[in-house]
Amino acid sequence: MPQTILVTGASAGFGQAICQSLVEKGYRVIGVARRFEKLQSLKGVLGEQFFPLQMDVSKSEQVDQALASLPVEWQQIDALVNNAGLALGLDPAYQADFADWQTMIETNIIGLTYLTRIVLPDMVKRNQGHVVNIGSTAGTIPYPGGNVYGATKAYVKQFSQNLRADLAGTRLRVTNIEPGLCGGTEFSNVRFKGDDERAAKLYDGAGSIQPEDIASTVLWALEQPAHVNISRIEIVPVSQTFGPQPIDRTLWEE
Ligand code: NDP
Ligand code: 8X3
């Protein structure tokens, strides 16, 4: 029987591309998101190997109810791809909207953590399973306005590593994939709250990576031999490199 993989954030961007490449490879995929109509359209494309499951990952009751509603033949989850997430705003910490911070924490941290906690016991019982988290370079590299978003991704990175520590002695695997600038998704449209022109500008001339690059990376990590754990992968466009740390030489001028 083909393996069943639950992918969160399946209605757009990375999640949609991940579902597509997994189904093409013969996996059965449970696609999770809040916008059910988007999941249904995806089912129209992907067919019977795709099961659309509506939930808001930040609401534990919805997660419980949705998982409990799965038909019995879809209940064994062999891999979990924690991809649902978002950034809201790019304002400095002293101006940012606290409600945006809460939403990011509830989705990127609480949602990911709750789903992981729910699926792990059965994986441990079967001594088989893989949790793939979608982190970000923002979890390692600070930038102005990245305040809480970057902090949520730093959590994802450390949680992934701590999971490995707890799963010692089992055959379970944990991977954190950490992309940089990736175009072709709704990420920046969401971050800039519908200012699509500002969102589009971010990718101008950047040769940014694409959702398919993330999908092929997820697939590669999943398809490594059972004894191999890919712990962390950072994936960025060639155009995205490092610069010197800024030093403000005017700060102490008389
Ligand atoms: P998109 O905005 O295109 O997709 C986000 C997905 O998450 C959507 O399917 C959305 O579905 C879902 N989602 C958001 N909130 C919830 C929620 N509360 N419950 C369930 N589903 C939710 O973004 P990307 O594909 O670009 O991003 C995917 C992941 O990759 C995120 O975790 C993001 O932080 C990360 N990332 C993105 C990068 C980029 O440059 N694009 C780079 C590095 C990391 P719906 O609205 O229907 O619920
Ligand atoms: C998304 C990449 O640099 O916009 O995680 O934070 S970035």
Side-chain angles (χ1 to χ4, degrees):
M1 198 170 115
Q3 289 199 325
T4 302
I5 304 186
L6 189 148
V7 178
T8 67
S11 61
F14 296 176
Q16 194 174 305
I18 293 165
C19 291
Q20 187 140 5
S21 71
L22 290 175
V23 166
E24 278 165 12
K25 270 287 197 160
Y27 294 95
R28 299 188 331 147
V29 177
I30 302 166
V32 160
R34 293 166 299 180
R35 288 172 295 173
F36 194 58
E37 67 291 352
K38 295 253 178 199
L39 296 177
Q40 279 176 314
S41 326
L42 192 56
K43 183 174 171 60
V45 177
L46 300 182
E48 291 307 307
Q49 275 171 255
F50 180 78
F51 191 94
L53 190 64
Q54 184 178 32
M55 69 171 86
D56 181 333
V57 298
S58 70
K59 306 240 174 340
S60 58
E61 331 75 60
Q62 285 192 27
V63 177
D64 291 342
Q65 276 170 20
L67 291 177
S69 76
L70 282 171
V72 68
E73 66 275 18
W74 285 91
Q75 278 175 10
Q76 181 181 301
I77 293 163
D78 299 297
L80 167 67
V81 181
N82 275 316
N83 161 74
L86 78 173
L88 287 171
L90 198 60
D91 293 325
Y94 49 87
Q95 286 169 342
D97 183 347
F98 189 73
D100 285 348
W101 284 8
Q102 272 182 308
T103 304
M104 289 188 277
I105 291 166
E106 282 161 8
T107 310
N108 303 0
I109 296 182
I110 307 285
L112 173 145
T113 307
Y114 190 66
L115 265 159
T116 305
R117 178 64 185 84
I118 294 281
V119 304
L120 273 182
D122 189 53
M123 288 181 173
V124 170
K125 204 156 91 193
R126 291 185 288 112
N127 201 16
Q128 183 204 323
H130 196 155
V131 177
V132 178
N133 292 326
I134 305 296
S136 169
T137 50
T140 304
I141 303 162
Y143 60 83
N147 41 63
V148 167
Y149 176 69
T152 66
K153 294 302 187 177
Y155 170 91
V156 172
K157 179 172 64 176
Q158 195 62 26
F159 181 56
S160 305
Q161 298 193 133
N162 285 346
L163 280 176
R164 290 270 302 131
D166 284 359
L167 293 169
T170 77
R171 292 183 176 178
L172 271 65
R173 306 191 289 182
V174 184
T175 301
N176 191 37
I177 295 176
E178 304 169 16
L181 190 75
C182 183
T185 82
E186 298 175 3
F187 179 82
S188 291
N189 311 79
V190 171
R191 176 170 232 171
F192 300 136
K193 303 178 180 178
D195 186 343
D196 295 342
E197 208 179 308
R198 185 178 178 197
K201 257 198 195 124
L202 195 64
Y203 305 98
D204 268 357
S208 45
I209 50 173
Q210 297 296 308
E212 294 67 32
D213 301 318
I214 306 304
S216 64
T217 307
V218 170
L219 191 66
W220 179 78
L222 286 169
E223 293 203 322
Q224 290 306 299
H227 66 281
V228 175
N229 189 88
I230 304 297
S231 303
R232 290 178 57 199
I233 302 176
E234 191 177 276
I235 166 169
V236 299
V238 175
S239 64
Q240 185 175 21
T241 63
F242 302 98
Q245 281 189 288
I247 296 169
D248 185 342
R249 298 183 194 281
T250 67
L251 197 60
W252 303 106
E253 272 175 2
E254 291 307 319

